[in-house]
Amino acid sequence: LIFFRPLPFLGLMCIFASSLFRTAAKVIVPEGRPEFQNRTFHSDAVDQFLRSAADQFQDRNLGRLFQNTFPNTLDTTVSFHSEDDTFIITGDIPAMWLRDSCNQVLPFIPFIKTDDSVDVLLSNLVMRMSRSVLIDGYANAFNFDGTQRSEHADDERIPRMTNHTFEGKYELDSLAAFLKLSRSVSDSRSSHLFQGQSGVTDKALWLRAVKKAVETIVEQQQGTDEDESEVRVNYSFQRTTTTSTDTLMQNGNGAPCSRTGMSKCQFRPSDDAVTYPFLVPANAMAVVELRHVARMVDETIAPNTMFTVEEQRKLAAKMNEVADEIEGGIYRFGVITHSVTHKKVFAYEVDGFGNALFMDDANIPSLLSLPYLGFVSEEDEIYRNTREAVLSRESNPFYFEGEAGKGVGGPHAGYGMVWPMSIIVQGLTSNDEEEIKGCLEMLMESTAGTGFMHESFWKDEPSKYTRSWFAWANSLFGEFIVKIMEERPELILKGIS
């Protein structure tokens, strides 16, 4: 998460301009923001920030791309907002993913301090997520309400779904995303979260949701034999489909596994089924967010009609305990020696029986994103080894190279399809200026002149892309640019040397 501070370049007179984007120079980026009256949410603070930055870019096309992408979530995906509710869709799919909506709004966390409307929007999103988790702790995506038959109502799932659930795929990072947004808004010193006449009631509801999230994570620490020992399966999922990654093997129960300390995750953040149930990057994210929210609960303990002070302390202690168990499982079972590089790396998935899968998927949480998640530093030896293997055709089956770019993809969009999200994450986790500039060049090229990030593009031809309206990728690109503006402004801004 990038926190804004007063930027020294704003308001500077233009001194010189030199383009760093040799490859991307041929890409012409059109203005893409909707007309003001057609935007789904307005923030004076965000608009003022964008106006201040508008003329500061060395490359005007990069500047215009930033102007298009950074506010895209606010401009187009705030499906509903009021004084007490927020519903944010993912883009071209009219449903709210816990993971996507969290990541879509992360760049706006710093504006909570200066724009009350952003504070209300994001505080209400935390409460919307809380209600969603209480409705269905195993769902990845939700409808606005339960008044219409859900698009995936024919899926067979344990526990059973209601029409509030858009899709019932269990992804550990969905719960971690709820925790992440909660602590991010709280740490920003929100004046609306748990405040006002409904503050005590809201806090109690949020604590119930956190407790349910923790209970779900603990439940999924069980091995297969434990899960079935009482003739009761905690979670199963089956869909009638021709896409193998849209359903689970073993009558919907997924691949067998043995207890490791980690928590099972039957679907990846791409919404594809896992090969082995313990998804290491998702567990790493859970470790980080469990500890953050444990701290948050400890720091905000107050008498509550539904949660005593002692119960709140126990909840925080339980989160730290579970985080320790998961982290221990990652290092005991999730670190392997790669058979090609012969170096210690983090596996992508394991089963606790000694079997491991090494690959990476572009969607966050990924192996490449581990420093971005806060699990390890960029200089961590195992991460450096993992990064080297992830960014190689010789060791990662879903790393693609072509005439239009190179990066991590995944099974979801198809073989040979590079995801801009992975290129952004590569740049976000790099300390090498040439690598960062190379990522920017590829990202500019990947837009194919549309003015926005896409889900994926064909490695040899950026005009062959999937999902023209994918708000998460736009927010993440905006976050990447802000990070460069703050830490390496000379790479992209005028008058900085």
Side-chain angles (χ1 to χ4, degrees):
L1 177 63
I2 307 304
F3 288 91
F4 287 65
R5 59 177 181 268
L7 301 177
F9 55 82
L10 297 182
L12 285 175
M13 296 296 291
C14 302
I15 299 175
F16 64 89
S18 61
S19 175
L20 297 172
F21 308 107
R22 299 175 298 278
T23 303
K26 61 186 178 183
V27 177
I28 305 300
V29 177
E31 293 183 2
R33 294 190 72 182
E35 293 295 328
F36 184 84
Q37 66 272 17
N38 295 327
R39 297 171 189 171
T40 57
F41 185 83
H42 303 118
S43 165
D44 291 340
V46 171
D47 286 344
Q48 176 58 39
F49 168 69
L50 291 171
R51 284 192 296 270
S52 299
D55 297 325
Q56 303 302 320
F57 286 83
Q58 296 172 17
D59 185 292
R60 68 176 59 186
N61 284 299
L62 177 64
R64 193 173 296 129
L65 183 59
F66 177 65
Q67 297 282 323
N68 291 346
T69 55
F70 185 81
N72 183 246
T73 285
L74 300 183
D75 285 352
T76 67
T77 69
V78 183
S79 177
F80 179 84
H81 67 97
S82 66
E83 293 183 357
D84 56 7
D85 194 16
T86 298
F87 190 80
I88 293 180
I89 63 174
T90 183
D92 53 11
I93 305 174
M96 189 180 93
W97 266 253
L98 295 179
R99 169 190 57 255
D100 289 44
S101 59
C102 168
N103 286 290
Q104 284 170 242
V105 303
L106 284 180
F108 310 114
I109 294 290
F111 293 98
I112 286 176
K113 298 176 182 177
T114 56
D115 192 328
D116 190 66
S117 67
V118 174
D119 191 354
V120 172
L121 184 80
L122 301 192
S123 296
N124 288 342
L125 183 57
V126 171
M127 297 314 301
R128 161 66 77 154
M129 285 187 176
S130 302
R131 294 190 294 273
S132 297
V133 170
L134 289 171
I135 289 170
D136 191 340
Y138 281 105
N140 57 328
F142 293 86
N143 295 310
F144 178 70
D145 56 30
T147 59
Q148 303 292 324
R149 188 175 188 272
S150 179
E151 183 174 319
H152 296 295
D154 291 334
D155 292 345
E156 296 182 21
R157 199 198 72 168
I158 298 175
R160 293 184 64 181
M161 299 179 291
T162 69
N163 285 332
H164 286 88
T165 297
F166 176 81
E167 190 169 50
K169 292 178 176 178
Y170 176 60
E171 299 161 7
L172 173 58
D173 62 283
S174 295
L175 297 178
F178 158 60
L179 299 178
K180 182 171 187 172
L181 184 65
S182 297
R183 61 91 173 177
S184 297
V185 173
S186 177
D187 287 351
S188 73
R189 299 298 182 260
S190 166
S191 60
H192 286 275
L193 187 65
F194 311 144
Q195 303 299 315
Q197 292 183 339
S198 64
V200 173
T201 304
D202 287 349
K203 179 69 177 293
L205 186 145
W206 177 78
L207 285 167
R208 285 173 54 211
V210 171
K211 186 172 184 286
K212 182 171 183 178
V214 174
E215 289 171 348
T216 303
I217 292 170
V218 169
E219 196 169 61
Q220 291 303 309
Q221 287 181 293
Q222 295 178 342
T224 303
D225 290 341
E226 299 173 82
D227 199 19
E228 298 178 342
S229 62
E230 298 177 3
V231 197
R232 180 180 68 88
V233 175
N234 292 321
Y235 177 82
S236 69
F237 182 94
Q238 286 182 293
R239 175 178 293 172
T240 301
T241 177
T242 57
T243 304
S244 62
T245 53
D246 258 348
T247 191
L248 297 178
M249 64 185 294
Q250 299 272 71
N251 297 317
N253 295 326
C257 63
S258 180
R259 181 179 282 268
T260 64
M262 285 183 277
S263 187
K264 296 196 292 291
C265 181
Q266 296 291 7
F267 289 89
R268 297 168 180 166
S270 61
D271 300 330
D272 296 326
V274 298
T275 299
Y276 297 125
F278 296 115
L279 179 59
V280 173
N283 275 272
M285 182 179 181
V287 169
V288 173
E289 299 310 328
L290 284 166
R291 286 174 177 159
H292 275 303
V293 176
R295 170 188 52 78
M296 174 184 167
V297 171
D298 267 334
E299 291 176 353
T300 60
I301 284 178
N304 190 289
T305 54
M306 295 188 64
F307 279 86
T308 66
V309 169
E310 184 58 28
E311 286 173 330
Q312 293 173 60
R313 289 197 180 106
K314 286 182 178 179
L315 178 59
K318 183 63 176 179
M319 284 189 279
N320 281 320
E321 176 188 327
V322 175
D324 289 345
E325 291 173 358
I326 294 175
E327 184 178 43
I330 290 173
Y331 281 99
R332 182 180 176 190
F333 293 92
V335 176
I336 61 172
T337 300
H338 197 287
S339 59
V340 173
T341 66
H342 306 294
K343 296 179 181 179
K344 293 288 185 183
V345 297
F346 290 107
Y348 189 65
E349 294 167 359
V350 299
D351 65 358
F353 292 116
N355 299 303
L357 171 66
F358 186 86
M359 56 165 277
D360 205 13
D361 189 285
N363 287 267
I364 303 169
S366 61
L367 292 177
L368 192 60
S369 71
L370 290 177
Y372 172 79
L373 299 174
F375 184 69
V376 294
S377 75
E378 291 92 341
E379 303 307 318
D380 179 88
E381 182 178 1
I382 299 175
Y383 173 73
R384 297 301 303 176
N385 295 342
T386 304
R387 181 187 183 89
E388 177 187 348
V390 164
L391 299 176
S392 170
R393 280 293 297 142
E394 295 182 356
S395 44
N396 177 11
F398 292 101
Y399 182 78
F400 308 118
E401 297 182 4
E403 295 180 5
K406 57 184 179 180
V408 180
H412 192 76
Y415 197 79
M417 299 296 286
V418 176
W419 286 54
M421 187 178 295
S422 75
I423 302 173
I424 299 169
V425 171
Q426 181 180 349
L428 281 168
T429 55
S430 176
N431 291 316
D432 184 303
E433 292 191 352
E434 291 303 314
E435 183 178 19
I436 293 170
K437 288 190 286 186
C439 290
L440 286 172
E441 291 177 6
M442 285 190 288
L443 290 166
M444 288 279 287
E445 185 77 12
S446 79
T447 64
T450 65
F452 292 95
M453 292 293 113
H454 303 134
E455 178 189 55
S456 69
F457 65 93
W458 175 242
K459 61 184 179 64
D460 295 318
E461 178 49 67
S463 64
K464 297 179 180 179
Y465 59 80
T466 60
R467 298 188 69 181
S468 60
W469 183 18
F470 184 38
W472 178 9
N474 288 319
S475 287
L476 191 66
F477 178 76
E479 190 174 335
F480 180 34
I481 295 300
V482 170
K483 186 173 191 283
I484 298 173
M485 292 164 73
E486 291 189 340
E487 298 179 2
R488 304 174 191 274
E490 69 280 1
L491 294 186
I492 60 175
L493 301 177
K494 300 174 185 177
I496 307 295
S497 58

